[in-house]
Amino acid sequence: MKALREQLHESSRALREVYQNRGLRRLQLAWAGSIIGTWAYSVAIVVYAYHQGGASAVGLVGLIRWLPAAFVSPFTAVLGDRYPRVPVMLGADLVRAAALAAMAVCVLGDAPAGIVYVLAAGVGVVSTAFQPAQAALLPALARTPEELTAANVSSSTLESLGFCAGPAIGGVLLAFSSTWVVFMVTAATFLWSALQLSSLLSWDEPPLKETHRPLVHEMAEGFRAIKADHRLQLVIGLFSAQSLVNGAINVLIAVCALQLLDMGSSGVGYLNSAVGIGGLMGAVFSLMLVGRRRLAGTFGLAVAGAGGPVLFIAPHPTVGIALAAFALIGVANIVEDVAGFTLLQRTAPPEVLARVFGVLHSTFYFMTAMGAILAPRLIDLIGVRWALVSVGALLPILSVATRLPLVRLDNSAVDRARELELLQAIPIFAPLSPPVLEGLASRLVPVHAAVGETIVKQGETGDRFYMVVSGEVEVSIDGQVQAAQGPGDHFGEIALLRDVPRTATITAKTEVDLFALERDEFIAAVTGHSDSAEAAEAVIGARLGVSPV
């Protein structure tokens, strides 16, 4: 019990530090406005669609909102890697505010439902640029790995507040007014988000690497990063399955409230609010994840809980059971998001992080759309209760089936204190933030060389940066020995940063163990931060004046 209190105390301290960080604080407040408005609007559009054509119309509007977003998400996510991320998010907020105001005008003027649906699709498309840029910006703003996890906890807590407050606001407004009022309130929350982000425009965002490659090629980098790493595939695959269930649950919430439980239009908002209330409880559990290195097991358990509780509604549907079940789903959703997002941020290469999140959101939108369109068909085929059973059983089954891969993922997430210590001791990497260093540490490749073995040969093309862990290497130029290097020393940066052939030969003087960092990862890390680039130039200048490597 004492250990738990200490963990909560440390986690709370890290969370307080998030809001003492001006950049993170503004980003969190912007996210709060965005998510509250999004969920208030989501309740209104579902109720609007149900009154237009029942459960099938709810599924259709889900498809219209999410499917176009799924196709454009990998492209819009490139914006967060190619351009400064704050203006990208600010622009998304302003466009969404204008679209929601237009939807309000359409509903108020009795315009055809198709126009409202098209505008809803536009809001979904523009939204795809916001969260990948936000997720990619968090590691740059965070000062420690613990602060990064705490920032993810804060984001997920605010998302829970959005789940809670947004649908509740939407439900109350729908009880006393119309959907057009909810749309206008949503437009105002997006403007609030834009106001918070505008104060970050003067923040000195680390310069992004300039590129003139085609957008399609840039977009594909996120897919390539995922294809090359089975850990990313596992996490994103489970997120995708959860999104399929989430899309179905969005429809089932409306059908349960309006048909199975006879709660009326406001009931849709109240059941959605139950998810948000559960999310607030989940945020407390998420605080215990701060600083933990092993998150994959928790992630898998949370995935199971993100759908399983609806199984309890089917045998005896009551308002109380439904509220409790959706609250449990809210708990699981938040724990899943914190654990899963942190795993992705720790694992994905920083230079394509926004694009990896873009792929994640693309699968989220696509699978949510599929769930939304399949749920009405499932209800027609087997009825509401058996649909609840079918949807609720999927994620627990997948969680059990992927238990062993998740254990291996946890086993690979070992403590990398040794690698971090080596990186932090090198002037080139010293200016980088701890979360970025943690990502680099996870991608270091162990290399062993026997006595007399050539590690780097003068004149050949540079492909790696090396750090000496143990043993001793010999530096030779034109066959003449110039120097020796031991533990803590490094070599290989000149050829990588200057794009020239290797300037020296490095031979193992004794048995030697090294860590190697691939060319692209080294260049992206160093050139993506101005202080790190300056430190690298200083190291190169010193070495070219004495003993080039």
Side-chain angles (χ1 to χ4, degrees):
M1 194 66 179
K2 180 180 178 181
L4 178 59
R5 286 198 300 268
E6 290 177 352
Q7 174 68 43
L8 287 173
H9 174 74
E10 289 299 314
S11 301
S12 299
R13 179 188 57 79
L15 198 58
R16 287 194 300 271
E17 289 178 356
V18 168
Y19 285 88
Q20 291 170 359
N21 181 325
R22 176 180 174 273
L24 285 177
R25 182 175 67 251
R26 290 292 185 177
L27 193 61
Q28 300 300 321
L29 292 174
W31 174 236
S34 178
I35 197 66
I36 288 173
T38 295
W39 280 99
Y41 146 73
S42 295
V43 169
I45 193 67
V46 164
V47 170
Y48 177 84
Y50 189 87
H51 289 314
Q52 294 294 318
S56 296
V58 174
L60 176 62
V61 79
L63 185 70
I64 291 171
R65 289 175 62 199
W66 303 121
L67 194 58
F71 285 109
V72 304
S73 183
F75 293 95
T76 56
V78 176
L79 300 175
D81 283 328
R82 179 178 279 192
Y83 303 106
R85 287 154 183 164
V86 173
V88 168
M89 292 184 285
L90 180 61
D93 275 338
L94 294 176
V95 173
R96 290 187 293 177
L100 263 297
M103 290 173 67
V105 171
C106 288
V107 174
L108 191 60
D110 291 324
I115 299 177
V116 176
Y117 295 162
V118 169
L119 287 169
V123 171
V125 166
V126 175
S127 295
T128 61
F130 188 94
Q131 196 166 6
Q134 180 212 31
L137 189 58
L138 278 176
L141 292 171
R143 296 167 296 196
T144 66
E146 291 76 17
E147 192 171 85
L148 174 60
T149 306
N152 282 325
V153 170
S154 175
S155 295
S156 296
T157 302
L158 290 173
E159 191 166 7
S160 298
L161 285 170
F163 288 164
C164 178
I169 291 170
V172 170
L173 290 174
L174 286 171
F176 296 100
S177 60
S178 177
T179 53
W180 73 268
V181 176
V182 183
F183 293 156
M184 285 302 299
V185 170
T186 301
T189 62
F190 286 140
L191 290 177
W192 159 266
S193 177
L195 178 64
Q196 299 304 313
L197 290 170
S198 65
S199 66
L200 288 177
L201 288 173
S202 59
W203 174 66
D204 187 19
E205 188 170 354
L208 302 174
K209 186 178 179 181
E210 292 186 7
T211 178
H212 300 288
R213 292 182 297 177
L215 186 63
V216 173
H217 184 84
E218 290 286 303
M219 175 270 293
E221 291 296 332
F223 289 99
R224 292 192 186 98
I226 295 168
K227 182 180 179 181
D229 195 327
H230 67 90
R231 298 171 300 173
L232 295 177
Q233 295 168 19
L234 176 61
V235 174
I236 291 178
L238 288 172
F239 264 128
S240 299
Q242 187 270 338
S243 299
L244 177 69
V245 170
N246 182 59
I249 286 177
N250 287 340
V251 176
L252 288 170
I253 283 179
V255 174
C256 283
L258 297 169
Q259 180 179 327
L260 191 63
L261 301 173
D262 197 26
M263 296 174 67
S265 296
S266 60
V268 179
Y270 300 147
L271 291 183
N272 274 289
S273 292
V275 179
I277 292 170
L280 293 176
M281 294 185 289
V284 176
F285 293 108
S286 297
L287 285 173
M288 292 184 288
L289 301 180
V290 176
R292 288 186 57 181
R293 311 293 292 187
R294 297 179 177 273
L295 295 173
T298 302
F299 174 66
L301 185 62
V303 167
V310 298
L311 289 168
F312 299 112
I313 302 175
H316 187 61
T318 66
V319 172
I321 291 175
L323 289 170
F326 289 121
L328 287 173
I329 288 174
V331 172
N333 280 340
I334 297 307
V335 176
E336 177 198 28
D337 283 353
V338 171
F341 287 175
T342 304
L343 284 170
L344 289 177
Q345 288 163 336
R346 288 178 177 178
T347 307
E351 68 274 11
V352 295
L353 184 56
R355 278 165 281 185
V356 168
F357 272 95
V359 174
L360 172 66
H361 284 87
S362 178
T363 59
F364 165 77
Y365 296 132
F366 180 78
M367 298 303 287
T368 300
M370 292 301 99
I373 203 66
L374 289 174
R377 306 284 80 77
L378 197 61
I379 292 170
D380 290 341
L381 286 173
I382 59 178
V384 177
R385 293 192 183 189
W386 282 108
L388 288 167
V389 172
S390 301
V391 171
L394 178 61
L395 292 180
I397 291 172
L398 281 178
S399 182
V400 172
T402 57
R403 184 179 63 86
L404 290 179
L406 285 171
V407 169
R408 288 194 292 268
L409 177 56
D410 258 344
N411 289 339
S412 69
V414 295
D415 185 13
R416 299 189 180 275
R418 186 187 190 189
E419 291 93 324
L420 282 169
E421 184 178 355
L422 284 169
L423 288 169
Q424 289 169 334
I426 296 174
I428 294 174
F429 299 115
L432 300 179
S433 68
V436 174
L437 286 174
E438 185 177 307
L440 288 177
S442 70
R443 289 186 288 279
L444 291 175
V445 179
V447 176
H448 178 80
V451 178
E453 182 178 344
T454 299
I455 303 166
V456 165
K457 186 175 182 180
Q458 185 176 352
E460 67 183 7
T461 301
D463 60 348
R464 282 177 164 183
F465 170 81
Y466 293 89
M467 298 184 298
V468 181
V469 180
S470 64
E472 194 173 12
V473 299
E474 199 169 65
V475 181
S476 301
I477 301 174
D478 298 329
Q480 300 296 315
V481 176
Q482 301 292 317
Q485 292 186 333
D489 288 325
H490 58 91
F491 57 88
E493 68 278 352
I494 295 176
L496 301 182
L497 292 173
R498 294 289 175 85
D499 196 21
V500 296
R502 294 291 193 189
T503 57
T505 296
I506 309 295
T507 306
K509 190 175 181 179
T510 66
E511 293 279 332
V512 62
D513 289 305
L514 312 103
F515 282 127
L517 190 62
E518 298 295 336
R519 175 191 180 94
D520 289 346
E521 292 169 348
F522 173 80
I523 291 176
V526 174
T527 61
H529 193 290
S530 57
D531 290 341
S532 182
E534 290 174 8
E537 287 300 319
V539 170
I540 291 173
R543 287 196 164 170
L544 289 177
V546 182
S547 55
V549 186

